[in-house]
Amino acid sequence: MPGPGFAVIDLETTGLFPGGHDRIVELAVVHVDDHGLITGRWETLLNPGRDLGPQQIHGIRSADILDAPSFAEVVPQLVELLAGRVPVSHNARFDSGFLFAELEAAGVELWQRPEFLCTMLLARDYLPGSGRALADCCDAFDIPLEGAHRASVDALATASLLSAYMAADPNTSLWFEALERASAFGWPPVPDVVVTHAWCARPEAVAEITAATFLERITRKLPEFAGPAEQSEYLAMLDRALIDRHISATEAHALVALAEELGIDRSTVVGLHRRYFDDLTAVAWADGELTEAELADLVAVADLLDIPTGAIGTATDASRWVAASASADSSAHRFALAPGDLVVLTGEMSLPRSAIELELVSRGYTPWPAVTKKVALVVAADPDSLSGKARKARDYGIPVVGESALWGLLGT
């Protein structure tokens, strides 16, 4: 058989409609030679510049794609991986539709389009009577498919399925003719693009972000010129970040950027984190009692800010804090919604948006369609969301929290 072989492609996307608002968020390519042997694998997350759509399906978090390349940045290498090869997908109509839409949006002029092979359609010939889903086809050949809806997993399974088809019918003209067409197809020139992000595979494990993950990015400064005003500004941003007792990747980036902008030293930031924790402890003791819920809250904040274990023990010592809390501002570090506050929702929540809006109205708050400076809170399906609403909220300094944090604020 002529030609280098096949390029098996799998994508994860924000939705079902290419060429419009939906985008590719993960891409994998697997090379298969003309004998059906797998010879190479590549994968990357992609930053779509918008929210990630049904995250419960593809499992990609906004934090994962903050440093991922855009589709335009991967086009040069992607076209190299496809050149001269037969493109293959399971449900090629879907994958090719998104791929061609993204290529054209990136400036690749596809006057002609390469012809895909579809392992789903080929199942009619090689697996008559079997289901058409990738899992069904893989089961028929005992091909492992663990972690489906990850592009690299699905692409490898599809490549193995293609190899099984080829082994079952090695002499058919189907493979030869497809390779001939691919060899004759000429990809158009690729526009020049400044590549600022390398290909970025999805992380294997999800680790919670704490202060330890971003403190090393804050410069040590000698001498430091930041004063009380700058420190208060940092504490205010920290307070917004901890409303939901979670530090998102976006919030970690913002805290580092603010510390650098204000000229705050790393050691000062550590001290500010301890000061924040001590103030929170004083507020918890303001009524002379530390409840289990308040202690759990202090432990959660201590874990996020990497407060020494000994400080948590000290926080339970009533003799140390009751007197100090007498002058504490009981509203400090306690974000709360006020009646009539405007609340904006963005992204696909676990509940229908209409149901959440009805709950907000029943509690006396006002669901709002757009982000303005008058909005009190933005609730996102993912706190690191790249939706236009979330980006605008961060520009205005409006807190962005997840859905679970909203229920916490509402006391449900």
Side-chain angles (χ1 to χ4, degrees), residues 113-137:
R113 295 180 173 183
E115 187 174 335
F116 268 68
L117 281 183
C118 180
T119 53
M120 184 179 74
L121 297 182
L122 288 173
R124 293 179 300 189
D125 299 319
Y126 293 99
L127 295 170
S130 174
R132 299 291 181 260
L134 180 58
D136 292 330
C137 294

Side-chain angles (χ1 to χ4, degrees), residues 1 23 33 57 90 109 115 153 159 164 185-186 192 241 250 258 276 299 321 345 388 392 406:
M1 295 181 182
R23 304 292 303 277
D33 70 13
I57 295 176
H90 197 82
E109 297 181 355
E115 187 174 335
V153 171
F185 181 81
D192 291 333
T250 305
L258 182 63
Y276 182 93
V299 171
W321 293 104
L345 307 178
K392 183 62 70 176
L406 172 63

